[in-house]
Amino acid sequence: MMKKNSTPKFRLMSAAIVSVLLFLLWAGSVLAADSSKNDQAKPGAEYRVPLASEPGKLDPAYITSVYAVNVALNIFDGLVEFDKDLNIVPAIARRWMISRDHRTYTFFLRKGVKFHNGREVIAADFVYSLQRLLDPETQSPVASFFSHILGASEFHEGKSQTVNGLSAPDPYTFKIELREPFAPFISILATVNAAVVPKEAVGPDFGKTPVGTGPFRLHTREPGNRIVLSANKAYFAGPPIIETLNFRIYSNDQWEVIFNDFEKGLLDQAFIPSDKYDEIIATSRYTKNYQFSSTPGLNLVYIGMNQSIPPFDDHRVRQAVSYAVDTETIVREITKRGSVPAKGVLPPGIAGFDPNFKGYAYDVEKARKLLAEAGYPKGENFPPADIWTVSKSENVRKQLEACQKYLAEIGIQIIPRFAKNWKEFIGVINDKKAPMFYAAWYADYPDADNFLYVLFHSRSSTNRMGYKNAEVDKMLEQARRETDYLKRVTMYRKTERTVMNEAPVLCLHINTFNNLLQPWVKGMEIGYLGAPYIPFRKVSIRRR
């Protein structure tokens, strides 16, 4: 998922994943909130959350923004969900079975789960919800996540009136059949896009007035101002501890304004601006008065190079760019915030991440040699290249200025272009009009497929670099069908090395989720998918 505020969603669950993630956590980086005293929380408490942008539609079939996920996950439930360590755990499905051939998933639903309108959820509701998402009239931007369901293609093409792979043998049993094994599928079912919705409530305004089964229900929505959710007292897993969840909406990524409001006590949590990170971790005023949470994220900040526009159609040029930029210094002096240099496409915590892969070290001489081999000695005749971004933050400006400086050393001139808004930016890069672009990809689901396939398969709509490699396509398709954990890991490591050798992207860094919490916040869990996946139903307010 591209993050709208910055420059912009895989799942094999095991202890091995968690152990890889933990090496990024430095001692004392997370001040875990004490949830053991939640029973002392004040009734009727309000929890105030900042949103750095308007979230758009709160309809699972259309959600792609991290801000919409942040709100919608509190309104909706699916069959399964993620816990903070990326394990798949039951939600509306109390248990499930996967067939030996990994093509049939059978879910046994809890009885008595109710939509916010009071009607009980049955298996037919899941048939409707997923079939609606796959319906061409819905025009869901995430329909491709579910295209492996048997009959999805025929239904989408109008050759069938229903999706054959979706069925409800009885009111509390839901079956999904796939046309072939698809290893990340159970993880995709844990995303908000797979949430169940009531047919009778769905209409043109459903994205504005959503009805789900979640721990909170929509109370008030004021576009550009706030979204207020109230506790669902009938929630199947027990009512939330807090009474009201108030999302305050800010505009134009006003991180400094958000942080100032947090210091005034107007917000209960806030993301730490990069220019304040060093001050906060070193100043007692912050360390004594607030709770500090730092969690490594499943994301990649990168610069894409468009292979359909010369001279970036030459892999030697792209390699030269990767060698010429000192990402270690950019992280140390500019991005900070606990972020780490990205050596490859896959972040730590994803099955397939290779800690031994070194990527491109800073090597100006090697960069100059490659550029000369490509026909541009000392950058002669190399055309100035626009680099597009949507972020206007000071931090991103400094990163681009640093890249300008490093690339100028080998004779390449890049010109930052700032899109007026997200729509313009995504249009430019989707149409492959940008020679270069600065972006970030945040995991929709914690599986290598969500990075390597989504960004680099030749037929992926989010392959905005125009990257094409038939062997990479073949390996990515095989990895999707492979059900052996260790074989998938090997496949993804091999694929990543092949992609990185051709350098369609300059991997910059991996963002860490750094937040301050007010001292009265208890029960907070911020996992590796970041703020959008916080289970607010577990949070309480305990003022002394």
Side-chain angles (χ1 to χ4, degrees), residues 1 9-13 82 86 88 142 144-146 148 182-193 298-299 346-347 349-351 441-455 462 480 488 492 528-529 533:
M1 176 185 292
K9 269 178 204 182
F10 259 86
R11 184 99 33 178
L12 294 171
M13 305 305 152
F82 303 126
L86 303 183
I88 298 289
V142 296
S144 62
F145 285 174
F146 305 90
H148 288 73
F182 181 38
F185 190 64
I186 191 69
S187 298
I188 292 173
L189 292 177
T191 67
V192 71
N193 304 117
L298 302 183
N299 60 78
L346 298 179
I350 289 292
W441 184 260
Y442 286 76
D444 298 293
Y445 51 96
D447 191 288
D449 181 80
N450 193 234
F451 285 83
L452 290 170
Y453 188 99
V454 169
L455 293 178
T462 45
R480 284 186 151 190
R488 283 194 85 210
Y492 284 128
Y528 305 115
L529 289 170
Y533 282 80

Side-chain angles (χ1 to χ4, degrees), residues 353-366:
F353 170 76
D354 186 353
N356 297 315
F357 182 60
K358 303 303 181 184
Y360 289 85
Y362 177 50
D363 192 328
V364 176
E365 290 308 313
K366 187 173 289 188

Side-chain angles (χ1 to χ4, degrees), residues 213-494:
T213 63
F216 296 89
R217 63 179 72 214
L218 182 68
H219 181 274
T220 304
R221 181 165 190 178
E222 300 172 5
N225 185 23
R226 63 176 182 157
I227 297 173
V228 180
L229 309 183
S230 59
N232 176 12
K233 301 298 185 181
Y235 188 55
F236 67 86
I241 301 168
I242 56 176
E243 179 66 28
T244 304
L245 190 53
N246 187 346
F247 292 94
R248 293 188 56 185
I249 301 170
Y250 294 78
S251 60
N252 300 320
D253 306 328
Q254 296 173 310
W255 300 111
E256 293 291 338
V257 176
I258 290 172
F259 194 79
N260 289 338
D261 282 353
F262 171 81
E263 289 192 284
K264 294 174 184 176
L266 301 177
L267 296 169
D268 293 301
Q269 67 181 61
F271 186 75
I272 300 173
S274 58
D275 60 350
K276 286 185 175 291
Y277 180 81
D278 289 341
E279 176 189 358
I280 286 169
I281 63 174
T283 306
S284 60
R285 178 167 71 89
Y286 292 106
T287 58
K288 289 183 179 180
N289 294 326
Y290 302 109
Q291 300 177 75
F292 174 43
S293 170
S294 180
T295 309
L298 302 183
N299 60 78
L300 173 68
V301 180
Y302 66 98
I303 289 176
M305 290 173 273
N306 191 340
Q307 292 186 207
S308 64
I309 299 179
F312 297 105
D313 56 345
D314 190 322
H315 72 278
R316 293 169 297 186
V317 169
R318 302 191 301 269
Q319 289 174 337
V321 169
S322 290
Y323 278 120
V325 176
D326 187 352
T327 56
E328 300 268 356
T329 297
I330 288 176
V331 167
R332 185 174 63 253
E333 298 183 359
I334 300 175
T335 64
K336 302 177 182 179
R337 300 184 304 190
S339 61
V340 296
K343 301 299 183 182
V345 175
L346 298 179
I350 289 292
F353 170 76
D354 186 353
N356 297 315
F357 182 60
K358 303 303 181 184
Y360 289 85
Y362 177 50
D363 192 328
V364 176
E365 290 308 313
K366 187 173 289 188
R368 287 174 176 150
K369 181 179 178 182
L370 284 164
L371 205 58
E373 291 175 1
Y376 304 98
K378 299 181 180 180
E380 292 177 11
N381 300 318
F382 196 100
D386 290 346
I387 180 167
W388 281 76
T389 182
V390 69
S391 177
K392 300 173 181 63
S393 74
E394 186 63 23
N395 186 275
V396 171
R397 287 181 183 274
K398 288 180 179 179
Q399 290 181 57
L400 294 181
E401 288 171 2
C403 289
Q404 279 182 302
K405 182 195 73 172
Y406 288 125
L407 293 174
E409 291 183 21
I410 63 171
I412 293 178
Q413 179 188 1
I414 62 171
I415 304 168
R417 301 292 187 193
F418 296 91
K420 294 190 294 290
N421 50 43
W422 175 256
K423 183 178 180 180
E424 181 186 22
F425 176 69
I426 207 70
V428 168
I429 64 175
N430 277 347
D431 293 341
K432 298 181 176 61
K433 295 178 180 178
M436 305 175 77
F437 61 91
Y438 175 101
W441 184 260
Y442 286 76
D444 298 293
Y445 51 96
D447 191 288
D449 181 80
N450 193 234
F451 285 83
L452 290 170
Y453 188 99
V454 169
L455 293 178
F456 302 107
H457 192 284
S458 63
R459 293 194 300 274
S460 172
S461 62
T462 45
N463 175 357
R464 298 173 171 109
M465 292 73 61
Y467 177 74
K468 294 180 181 180
N469 183 313
E471 184 60 28
V472 166
D473 284 355
K474 182 179 178 180
M475 288 191 291
L476 289 172
E477 290 160 9
Q478 289 176 339
R480 284 186 151 190
R481 296 189 294 267
E482 181 55 62
T483 58
D484 184 285
Y485 174 87
L486 293 179
K487 286 183 179 178
R488 283 194 85 210
V489 166
T490 300
M491 287 178 175
Y492 284 128
R493 287 181 174 179
K494 180 180 179 181

